[in-house]
Every structure is written in structure tokens, then in C-alpha cells.
Amino acid sequence: RRPQRKYFAMARRYDSRTTIFSPEGRLYQVEYAMESISNSGSAIGILSKEGIILATEKKVISKLLDTGAVGCRREKMYKLDDHVACAVAGLTADANILINKARLAAQQYLFTYQESMPVEQLVRRLCDVKQGYTQFGGMRPFGVSFLYAGWDEENGYQLYHSDPSGNYAGWKAHAIGANHQQAQNILNQDYKDDETFGLREAMKLALKVLMKTMDSTSLTSDKVEMSAVKYDAESQQVYFSYVTEEELEPLVSEVNEEGKAKDSTS
């Protein structure tokens, strides 16, 4: 107990400012921001040969919610540009500020160069903003993590993750939010990096992971928010689309049946 008490006493001395390092070289406010994300709803991103799937746990499912109102249509899915979308985990209000900055940066680039902003460049621009909020006094880190899904001519389909510190990395499949470590273990086991792994397989895997992270024996389509980013070679256009509850229903039923069959055999 004494070492633990000493740790908390040490943390209290250095966690009042984001600009102060502890003697161990830690920035406690940044770590607290990451911890707040671990307590939020799950978000999954999965790369396939046919496109990218983003899936999140829908927290607000009240029948009184007006889903047609601005700000209520989608809880955690956002379109940044015609070729980039994102899913968020953490404080949605913080996410709105960063999303507006990302949209503005994408449109400024388009206006200046008459072409879409490369996905990684847009991610890096946003991460520079997030990093600045860990380095200057009088600010706090953004309590939100992003999964970015996009396509550009140079690198094709891309999936990135960024955290409150301003770090980002590219992934083939990644999970953020509640129970993210358990979700990551399932993705490591079941993700396939081959030609047979298409959008349908990615959607099923995302639903399977969400069912585990939500600690639920069965999944329903009204608790899931899902979208897809696809590139059409014929029209040479990138399409971002939301998966409706009607489209999700057969996949959810299939995943639930597979889960029950696996539980009965074990």
C-alpha cells in the first residue's frame, strides 16, 4: 500500500499542468485523457480489399431521441471530406472542434491545389493541433481518439488511429474505447489479410468484436452504428455510406447464431 500511496502523492504534485513532466518523465494529464477514452463506447476500424468498415457502439438508443435533428443523426460517425471519414471514442464535444478543423483544412487544400488532401497529411494536420494542447499552459488535452478511414491515389485504402497525445499510426484493424484490449485480441486472431476478406467479412468481424466489448450475449442492430468507405474504379469516385439498420439486421442475426453455436459446442 505504501508504494501506491507514494505514487498518488507524486501524481498529485505533477498532474495539475499539462506542461509539467513528472520525475518519471510522464505527463499525467495526457494519461488521464487516454483513460477517459477507455471508459467510452467502443469503436472499430477494419481494412479490407474492397473498402474500410467503421463500427461503433451506439450509447443513446432512446425512442424519444429525434434522429432527424441536426447533431443526432449520427452519434460517432463523421464525414471529413469526400474521401475521408472518421469514428470517435471519448468526448463528442471535443471531437466536434477537431472535426471542424479537419474539414476546414481539407477544403483549404482542395481550394489551393484543386485536388483532395492526402489522407495521412490530413491526419498529421489534426495531430499537430492535438499535440499543441499538451505543450502549452492553460489548455487541456482533447479527450478523444479517432479512427480515420480514407482512400487516395498514392496509398489506396488507409486506416489511421490518433490519440490525445498527438501520436498517430496506420493499422489494418484497430479498436479504441471500452474493452479495447479484448477487442484487439479478437482482431489479431480473426483478421485475414487476403483477397477473400471483403467488406461483408469485415462487417461481420466488426459486429463480432462489438458483441464482445459490449459484454452482451446477443447484439441488436439499433445498438450499432456502421459506415463504409469504398472506391469505385469505374467512376473513379470515393463513396462514404452509412449502413442502415435494415442492412445490418441479417448480419447481426448471422453473428448471433454463430456466437450461440460456438457457446453450445464449448
Side-chain angles (χ1 to χ4, degrees), residues 210-229:
L210 281 178
M211 187 166 69
K212 294 293 184 182
T213 59
M214 292 163 66
D215 294 324
S216 175
T217 53
S218 63
L219 200 62
T220 55
S221 58
D222 63 335
K223 292 181 181 179
V224 178
E225 202 173 350
M226 187 177 286
S227 63
V229 176

Side-chain angles (χ1 to χ4, degrees), residues 136-147:
F136 298 103
M139 300 177 178
R140 68 161 175 81
F142 288 96
V144 63
S145 278
F146 287 86
L147 288 174

Side-chain angles (χ1 to χ4, degrees), residues 227-246:
S227 63
V229 176
K230 296 177 285 186
Y231 173 72
D232 182 38
E234 290 186 11
S235 62
Q236 295 186 343
Q237 294 290 322
V238 182
Y239 294 99
F240 170 70
S241 59
Y242 294 106
V243 183
T244 64
E245 288 187 16
E246 291 75 19

Side-chain angles (χ1 to χ4, degrees), residues 62-73:
S62 171
K63 64 179 181 181
L64 300 177
L65 184 69
D66 181 8
T67 54
V70 175
C72 297
R73 295 190 186 99

Side-chain angles (χ1 to χ4, degrees), residues 29-75:
Q29 286 296 328
V30 177
E31 292 183 18
Y32 296 159
M34 292 181 183
E35 189 62 32
S36 74
I37 292 161
S38 299
N39 297 323
S40 65
S42 303
I44 317 293
I46 300 176
L47 195 88
S48 76
K49 300 300 179 183
E50 299 173 349
I52 307 171
I53 291 296
L54 294 173
T56 63
E57 173 188 353
K58 195 185 292 184
K59 286 285 189 181
V60 184
I61 55 173
S62 171
K63 64 179 181 181
L64 300 177
L65 184 69
D66 181 8
T67 54
V70 175
C72 297
R73 295 190 186 99
R74 294 289 176 257
E75 192 177 325

Side-chain angles (χ1 to χ4, degrees), residues 183-194:
Q184 204 62 36
N185 291 337
I186 299 170
L187 290 172
N188 282 330
Q189 291 173 4
D190 294 356
Y191 180 79
K192 297 176 182 176
D193 188 15
D194 56 36

